[in-house]
Amino acid sequence: MKNIESIVKNNLSHLIDIDASRIDIDLSIFDDYSLTSLNLVILITNICEETDVPVFNFTDADIANLRTLRDVITMFTTAAGQDA
Amino acid sequence: MEQIINQVANGRPSTAHSITIYGPGGRAVLPLADLDRLARKTAVYLKSLGVSAGDRIGIVAKNRLEWLLLDLGALKIKAVTAAFEAGKFAPTATLAERYALRIVFSDEASDAPSILPMDGLLAALEALPEDSDLSPVVYAPDDVTTIKFTSGSTGEPKGLAATVGSIDSSISATQVLFNHSSDDKLFIFLPLSLLQQRYWVYSALVFGHDVVLSTYQLAYYALPREAPTVVMGVPAFFETLRKAIAARVEGDDPAALRRAAIEAMGPRIRYLWTGSAPASPEMLRFFEDCGMAIFEGYGMNETCIVTKNAPGAHRRGSVGRPIDGKRLSIGEDGVIVVHSAFPVNTRYLFCAPGDSERIFQPDGSVRTGDLGRFDEDGFLYILGRADDVVVLTNGRNVLVRSIEERLRTCPEVENCIVVGSGEDCLSAILCAPRGEAARDAIKRHIADLNHLNGPDERIGGFLIVDEPFSIENGLLTSQYKPKRREILARFSDEMSHATRGAP
């Protein structure tokens, strides 16, 4: 499997048309990258597809607690059983 | 007009069609006959809790099977559901007391004795006998089945009790336009607390077609897997989908975009339904170019569906013609007034004095507050809200909605509002994810627009903000419309400086 961090960054870069190399995973996905709640849903869905992590693995609370891309990476890394 | 609610309450749907449910627990498929069987048991269960005809039960939960069972079960005993959007209302004793609810069912934990957890419902139904006797119920057009709550821009949400006649009339008229039938699979994901979303389940039970119920969190995942024929959405949903589809394709090759759209929604799309908020022309054109018909309509809580584009009667940019049972007039002030053969209601519940009178007219019509015009073929065009009119210091009235739409065509601009500036020109507050880095591109866009716009439509000054307009921060309504007053209040200090930096 590809590195989860690069998958997450690539998906965000496609979604908001930003160079993946300029993405700072510690910035706020809402305040700094201006994701709407629907954007976040589609981001998570796309990452699930690419990582083969079942989307049902995540609860509403898991999604609601996401603030940064690091949170997203950690969530997927944990779900995929990988080390961060 | 079909007797929809009486059929849903008393009918036995065929086993040929099913409901598929996506929720936190995964995917489940249930024949509609089984849904009805469980709903009958739910009715018996509600009676065992002391609920009887006319009693109100509250539902505060995200989309799930139990939500539907409570709604359908209540219909079978003429109890009234009060549908609260999860996240906006908390399941508390105060809620039960304020809205006179006998019981509240919720997917959130609560210590209040009047709040019952939904998680226990299916287990409780299992303990009930299979063939419980339920007397048939008869609904009259003026009977009420549910209370919906209007978001409102200020204060407590107002209640609106929906009559059976209005529900029957709306579903019947929609069926005339779209003929949902055996081969159809309708996809719904907006909250079931919005009554219109339940229409499509009622439609499945009465007209015989499949339906998929998802949470909005799982909607994009479920779509390609379920391959629906119809997607019931709102502009923000389709706009997000449009961007995601476009991002999958290098360049703008139409065939590649069509393939990507099919990958995202499956190959069986017959049409996409959008309403509740204005759809951008770009979004509508995008899906049409992808070979997917998308039909915009118009309505509000107080009127239900009023107009709708449909196969054979579609004009892009309009919101369609009035559906059966609706007649529209446009007042001298340009405001649309809706006359319904079967009104949703003629007053609000739980409202402040004067609230009902402001919108419900003595003859039962509804003054919408929206400005509109008809073309020569009877298609309605929404020009904006009456309160979208900005009065310039030169006394000219300017309708700013179309100007806002043109501003949003700038790729850097995610959202915006146009406001008065206290001068003889307009100002704009623009949300741009890149913030000040986008200033040059936005400035060029505004200069181009100013060149094309009439003198009263020119943007004199503008403010770029990178804080997104969202429901969470109170700058968008639940229908994803910018809240003009709140946005202006949030950025008023910065705005006073921005207007001096006019391009």
Side-chain angles (χ1 to χ4, degrees):
Chain A
M1 184 190 297
K2 280 201 290 184
N3 174 278
I4 285 182
E5 181 172 333
S6 70
I7 291 173
V8 170
K9 282 182 167 180
N10 279 337
N11 273 284
L12 181 70
S13 79
H14 282 119
L15 197 61
I16 62 170
D17 197 18
I18 183 175
D19 190 328
S21 67
R22 291 179 49 221
I23 292 173
D24 181 339
I25 63 171
D26 288 314
L27 292 180
S28 164
I29 48 183
F30 300 108
D31 297 334
D32 297 303
Y33 292 117
S34 298
L35 288 198
T36 63
S37 51
L38 287 171
N39 284 147
L40 180 61
V41 168
I42 219 160
L43 178 72
I44 299 297
T45 303
N46 289 344
I47 299 169
C48 281
E49 303 279 5
E50 211 167 324
T51 56
D52 290 328
V53 170
V55 70
F56 300 115
N57 272 20
F58 306 124
T59 65
D60 290 350
D62 291 334
I63 307 294
N65 287 332
L66 298 174
R67 295 287 177 273
T68 66
L69 277 194
R70 187 180 294 282
D71 295 338
V72 178
I73 293 163
T74 302
M75 184 177 83
F76 273 93
T77 305
T78 304
Q82 290 188 351
D83 292 332
Chain B
M1 182 175 77
E2 295 264 4
Q3 299 283 310
I4 305 289
I5 291 298
N6 277 315
Q7 289 188 62
V8 171
N10 302 307
R12 299 288 183 117
S14 80
T15 53
H17 296 96
S18 62
I19 180 165
T20 304
I21 298 177
Y22 282 75
R27 174 182 184 269
V29 183
L30 198 64
L32 292 179
D34 283 353
L35 179 71
D36 186 66
R37 181 180 58 80
L38 288 172
R40 290 172 64 79
K41 283 185 147 192
T42 305
V44 173
Y45 173 67
L46 288 172
K47 285 173 75 174
S48 76
L49 296 176
V51 177
S52 55
D55 283 345
R56 286 184 195 148
I57 62 167
I59 304 175
V60 191
K62 299 179 191 70
N63 291 357
R64 56 191 287 173
L65 172 62
E66 291 87 340
W67 210 123
L68 283 179
L69 293 178
L70 288 165
D71 183 61
L72 297 171
L75 281 177
K76 290 178 185 295
I77 58 170
K78 296 194 79 172
V80 175
T81 52
F84 300 96
E85 188 170 345
K88 287 191 177 165
F89 293 86
T92 61
T94 308
L95 184 90
E97 190 177 336
R98 173 173 160 77
Y99 296 108
L101 307 172
R102 188 169 185 98
I103 302 171
V104 177
F105 291 89
S106 177
D107 57 2
E108 296 174 42
S110 172
D111 294 333
S114 55
I115 314 295
L116 294 184
M118 275 188 166
D119 285 343
L121 179 62
L122 291 177
L125 298 185
E126 272 186 26
L128 292 173
E130 266 316 310
D131 285 315
S132 308
D133 271 345
L134 272 181
S135 304
V137 291
V138 178
Y139 282 94
D142 287 343
D143 285 340
V144 161
T145 67
T146 190
I147 300 172
K148 45 189 181 178
F149 293 88
T150 63
S151 54
S153 54
T154 56
E156 292 280 346
K158 297 183 283 285
L160 189 57
T163 59
V164 167
S166 71
I167 297 170
D168 285 357
S169 174
S170 295
I171 298 175
S172 298
T174 307
Q175 180 66 7
V176 169
L177 293 177
F178 294 100
N179 189 29
H180 298 134
S181 59
S182 186
D183 289 339
D184 275 316
K185 183 189 265 192
L186 275 56
F187 186 92
I188 57 177
F189 64 94
L190 294 167
L192 290 171
S193 55
L194 303 171
L195 173 60
Q196 193 175 307
Q197 302 312 306
R198 277 125 74 195
Y199 282 5
W200 313 123
V201 178
Y202 303 163
S203 169
L205 290 165
V206 172
F207 298 116
H209 57 76
D210 291 336
V211 62
V212 181
L213 170 68
S214 172
T215 60
Y216 89 90
Q217 289 90 342
L218 294 170
Y220 294 116
Y221 174 84
L223 264 177
R225 287 164 176 77
E226 293 303 323
T229 58
V230 179
V231 180
M232 300 291 180
V234 290
F237 176 81
F238 290 120
E239 189 65 46
T240 304
L241 193 56
R242 175 181 79 89
K243 288 178 180 169
I245 291 168
R248 292 182 189 183
V249 176
E250 294 285 340
D252 54 3
D253 173 41
L257 285 171
R258 268 185 222 120
R259 282 195 299 275
I262 288 170
E263 278 176 23
M265 284 189 280
R268 297 182 64 221
I269 294 293
R270 184 156 77 84
Y271 77 91
L272 310 174
W273 172 298
T274 183
S276 294
S280 75
E282 291 73 25
M283 185 271 281
L284 296 172
R285 193 176 306 115
F286 176 85
F287 284 107
E288 287 168 7
D289 289 348
C290 288
M292 294 178 177
I294 181 164
F295 296 120
E296 195 174 7
Y298 171 70
M300 50 198 292
N301 268 321
E302 292 80 355
T303 61
C304 200
I305 305 160
V306 175
T307 66
K308 190 72 191 168
N309 280 298
H314 178 210
R315 195 156 288 177
R316 192 199 298 155
S318 83
V319 290
R321 289 174 171 147
I323 65 171
D324 287 353
K326 301 291 182 190
R327 182 175 64 79
L328 276 64
S329 58
I330 295 181
E332 287 181 6
D333 54 3
V335 171
I336 299 163
V337 178
V338 177
H339 310 258
S340 301
F342 296 95
V344 173
N345 212 306
T346 53
R347 65 185 176 94
Y348 292 119
L349 302 172
F350 319 112
C351 64
D355 281 350
S356 290
E357 291 75 11
R358 268 190 285 278
I359 187 158
F360 295 104
Q361 308 297 292
D363 66 354
S365 61
V366 170
R367 183 182 151 82
T368 64
D370 290 318
L371 302 171
R373 72 170 177 84
F374 283 105
D375 70 12
E376 64 280 10
D377 295 317
F379 287 87
L380 179 68
Y381 294 77
I382 304 299
L383 305 175
R385 291 286 297 170
D387 54 12
D388 285 346
V389 173
V390 169
V391 183
L392 300 178
T393 52
N394 61 13
R396 302 276 175 78
N397 291 345
V398 182
L399 192 55
V400 296
R401 184 170 139 186
S402 61
I403 302 172
E404 291 171 346
E405 285 173 0
R406 279 173 259 160
L407 283 170
R408 289 190 195 103
T409 62
C410 174
E412 296 281 3
V413 175
E414 183 178 273
N415 215 331
C416 68
I417 60 165
V418 169
V419 295
S421 64
E423 299 174 25
D424 61 357
C425 60
L426 301 166
S427 295
I429 300 175
L430 306 115
C431 167
R434 294 206 306 131
E436 282 299 316
R439 173 168 287 278
D440 287 346
I442 290 173
K443 194 170 179 176
R444 278 196 303 277
H445 186 74
I446 290 177
D448 289 345
L449 288 183
N450 281 347
H451 183 66
L452 297 171
N453 288 345
D456 294 328
E457 295 183 323
R458 283 189 302 112
I459 305 292
F462 64 94
L463 173 69
I464 296 172
V465 298
D466 55 12
E467 178 182 355
F469 299 172
S470 68
I471 297 171
E472 292 76 17
N473 66 12
L475 300 184
L476 290 182
T477 70
S478 60
Q479 314 279 323
Y480 296 93
K481 296 174 190 169
K483 289 182 171 177
R484 188 177 301 280
R485 193 183 314 159
E486 284 76 3
I487 293 168
L488 195 51
R490 176 77 57 93
F491 302 111
S492 61
D493 288 346
E494 298 96 316
M495 196 62 196
S496 62
H497 298 294
T499 50
R500 288 196 289 273

